[in-house]
């Protein structure tokens, strides 16, 4: 039954029989047969079939919710039994918004020191993608915004607060200022993240509140691209304060606080709302709480 539910989850995620079979490491006939058997056991049609995948039935959508819970619990049980026998080990998958990627080592480094048998995969994803990946059991945890857009049913651990700085050349018109307003920043040609990133949506909203329009001269979904352009001294950008201290910029680049308003957003860990948590996830949550206390983040209730 668990294997068949895994097949069903994979099909709902991939929306293609061939890709779902490949993701499960089986042949397409094996996957199709397993899904047919699942439908026969449950006594309902789960998948609308034609020449190709045509979506889930209404019953299939409800079964998908249960399938994710059951498979998630089964994985947690296997992981806990393995931990009891061999200690904490396995594969921890974390998806992170681009602006928080530089902060991942504050979690993974002490975690690995305590649990050397664990290996990590860290992915750069948008905040929306992180929630979808969590729901689909494709990742174990995410680092994202906690207080700006809806998160759904997840457990959260605040890590630090994101405040914003204008990165600009010292010899630019605003380069000698102690602070700048969002309306003034709106007059500067900027390089920013693409609109699918929540950081960009936050910046666009703050500029709009100040009566300015976001019209970047360069957009990218990579922070490395933005950093490399700013470092030339010919480009300006808006970045979280924590990144301006994590990366070393040339002396001619200044990180100027942006005020009016002085916006702040909480960044933290999100994990599936499951009790009990898997041992890997529980250890990550414990590590995140230590980091949050270090950074003075507001603790979740």
């Amino acid at each position: 039954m668990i294997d068949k539910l895994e097949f069903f989850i994979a099909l709902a995620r991939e929306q293609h029989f061939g890709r779902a079979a490949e993701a499960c490491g089986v042949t397409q006939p094996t996957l199709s047969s397993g899904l047919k058997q699942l439908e026969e056991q449950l006594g309902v049609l789960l998948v609308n079939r034609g020449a190709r995948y045509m979506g889930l039935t209404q019953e299939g959508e409800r079964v998908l919710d249960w399938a994710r819970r059951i498979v998630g619990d089964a994985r947690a049980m296997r992981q806990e039994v393995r931990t009891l026998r061999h200690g904490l080990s396995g594969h921890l998958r974390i998806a992170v918004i681009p602006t928080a990627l530089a902060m991942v080592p504050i979690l993974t480094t002490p975690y690995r020191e305590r649990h050397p048998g664990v290996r990590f995969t860290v992915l750069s994803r948008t905040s929306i993608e992180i929630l979808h990946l969590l729901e689909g059991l494709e990742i174990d945890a995410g680092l994202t915004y906690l207080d700006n857009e809806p998160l759904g049913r997840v457990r959260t651990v605040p890590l630090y607060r994101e405040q914003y700085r204008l990165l600009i050349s010292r010899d630019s018109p605003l380069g000698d200022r102690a602070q700048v307003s969002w309306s003034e920043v709106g007059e500067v040609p900027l390089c920013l993240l693409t609109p699918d990133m929540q950081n960009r949506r936050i910046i666009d909203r703050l500029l709009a509140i100040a009566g300015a329009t976001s019209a970047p001269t360069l957009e990218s979904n990579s922070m490395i691209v933005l950093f490399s352009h700013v470092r030339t001294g010919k480009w300006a950008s808006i970045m979280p304060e924590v990144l301006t201290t994590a990366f070393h910029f040339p002396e001619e680049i200044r990180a100027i606080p942006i005020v009016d308003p002085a916006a702040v957003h909480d960044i933290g860990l999100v994990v599936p709302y499951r009790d009990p948590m898997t041992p890997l996830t529980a250890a990550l949550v414990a590590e995140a709480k230590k980091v949050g206390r270090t950074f003075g983040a507001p603790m979740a209730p």
Side-chain angles (χ1 to χ4, degrees), residues 70-86:
I70 294 168
V71 169
D73 286 345
R75 291 180 183 177
M77 179 186 66
R78 293 191 191 111
Q79 196 180 111
E80 186 161 344
V81 171
R82 186 174 66 245
T83 299
L84 290 171
R85 294 184 63 187
H86 306 293

Side-chain angles (χ1 to χ4, degrees), residues 21-257:
E22 184 178 355
C24 293
V26 299
T27 64
Q28 187 169 330
T30 298
L31 180 126
S32 297
S33 174
L35 292 173
K36 278 287 189 182
Q37 292 172 23
L38 181 61
E39 289 177 323
E40 290 170 3
Q41 286 179 284
L42 296 176
V44 294
L45 186 68
L46 302 176
V47 182
N48 290 315
R49 295 174 176 83
R52 55 186 176 81
Y53 173 82
M54 298 176 64
L56 302 181
T57 63
Q58 184 176 0
E59 294 85 354
E61 293 287 354
R62 290 297 300 127
V63 170
L64 179 61
D65 290 338
W66 281 103
R68 286 169 172 161
R69 294 183 206 176
I70 294 168
V71 169
D73 286 345
R75 291 180 183 177
M77 179 186 66
R78 293 191 191 111
Q79 196 180 111
E80 186 161 344
V81 171
R82 186 174 66 245
T83 299
L84 290 171
R85 294 184 63 187
H86 306 293
L88 194 62
S89 63
H91 184 199
L92 191 59
R93 304 160 299 170
I94 308 172
V96 186
I97 55 174
T99 53
L101 281 168
M103 303 303 290
V104 175
I106 66 176
L107 283 176
T108 53
T109 301
Y111 189 109
R112 188 173 183 276
E113 288 176 352
R114 291 180 176 85
H115 311 291
V118 176
R119 59 189 179 91
F120 302 87
T121 293
V122 178
L123 305 171
S124 177
R125 293 291 185 267
T126 69
S127 56
I128 293 173
E129 288 172 335
I130 289 171
L131 297 179
H132 288 164
L133 291 170
L134 273 178
E135 184 181 42
L137 305 179
E138 295 178 76
I139 59 173
D140 302 295
L143 261 65
T144 187
Y145 292 95
L146 302 184
D147 61 350
N148 187 54
E149 296 178 355
L151 292 174
R153 188 172 171 78
V154 296
R155 194 186 303 268
T156 65
V157 182
L159 292 175
Y160 63 93
R161 288 189 152 173
E162 184 176 271
Q163 302 179 65
Y164 304 99
R165 300 290 184 266
L166 173 66
L167 268 65
I168 195 167
S169 173
R170 193 176 293 273
D171 58 7
S172 297
L174 297 177
D176 61 346
R177 299 281 295 277
Q179 59 185 32
V180 294
S181 67
W182 283 97
S183 59
E184 290 173 316
V185 170
E187 302 297 321
V188 177
L190 297 168
C191 51
L192 298 173
L193 288 171
T194 48
D196 59 325
M197 301 293 176
Q198 192 171 166
N199 171 267
R200 171 63 183 279
R201 296 194 291 275
I202 290 171
I203 289 172
D204 285 354
R205 186 180 70 247
L206 290 168
L207 288 170
I209 291 172
T213 302
S214 173
T217 54
L218 182 146
E219 294 178 326
S220 176
N221 63 357
S222 167
M223 293 302 296
I224 297 298
V225 171
L226 302 188
F227 280 129
S228 60
H229 280 77
V230 170
R231 286 180 66 89
T232 67
K234 306 297 182 182
W235 302 76
S237 186
I238 300 170
M239 294 189 185
E241 178 190 25
V242 68
L243 291 187
T244 66
T245 56
F247 288 88
H248 298 291
F249 286 94
E251 287 188 6
E252 60 268 22
I253 303 299
R254 293 197 62 220
I256 305 173

Side-chain angles (χ1 to χ4, degrees), residues 247-291:
F247 288 88
H248 298 291
F249 286 94
E251 287 188 6
E252 60 268 22
I253 303 299
R254 293 197 62 220
I256 305 173
I258 308 175
V259 297
D260 297 330
V264 177
H265 285 285
D266 292 332
I267 306 294
L269 184 75
V270 293
V271 299
Y273 197 90
R274 181 176 296 116
D275 193 17
M277 290 184 282
T278 68
L280 286 173
T281 301
L284 186 65
V285 167
E287 206 62 58
K289 288 180 178 178
K290 295 175 187 175
V291 170

